[in-house]
Amino acid sequence: MQKTPIIIIAQFFISLMMAFAMTGIFSLLDLGFSLAWLHTWATRFIVAWPIAFCLSLVIGNLGFKIAFKVSNLLKLQSADQ
């Protein structure tokens, strides 16, 4: 498992990239290419990124725990066969 500072820095960048991409994609689908889209994307990103970062700290840890459990279960299953 990675050290806590690395996890927090990684979550910072992961949440930034995901919020940037997701708000861009969904606002583009809603508005199409236009100046309104760029403005909407920017304002949605500013709101979404801090939320995504906070959620990623909690959900990221949960995701790792689930992944380790599933991985261990799969290792047990493959050993039985």
Side-chain angles (χ1 to χ4, degrees):
M1 192 74 174
Q2 297 292 328
K3 295 182 180 183
T4 301
I6 295 296
I7 292 172
I8 292 172
I9 293 167
Q11 294 296 9
F12 176 86
F13 287 110
I14 291 167
S15 64
L16 177 136
M17 292 180 283
M18 290 300 294
F20 186 77
M22 296 296 289
T23 55
I25 290 167
F26 285 110
S27 60
L28 178 66
L29 291 173
D30 190 32
L31 300 169
F33 285 108
S34 66
L35 289 176
W37 167 64
L38 287 174
H39 179 265
T40 300
W41 184 3
T43 55
R44 288 182 183 177
F45 171 69
I46 290 168
V47 172
W49 184 20
I51 295 168
F53 177 70
C54 293
L55 290 174
S56 74
L57 292 174
V58 175
I59 294 170
N61 287 333
L62 180 60
F64 276 107
K65 288 177 185 177
I66 293 169
F68 283 120
K69 286 184 180 187
V70 169
S71 176
N72 287 335
L73 286 173
L74 293 175
K75 286 178 187 175
L76 290 174
Q77 280 186 342
S78 63
D80 291 339
Q81 294 174 353

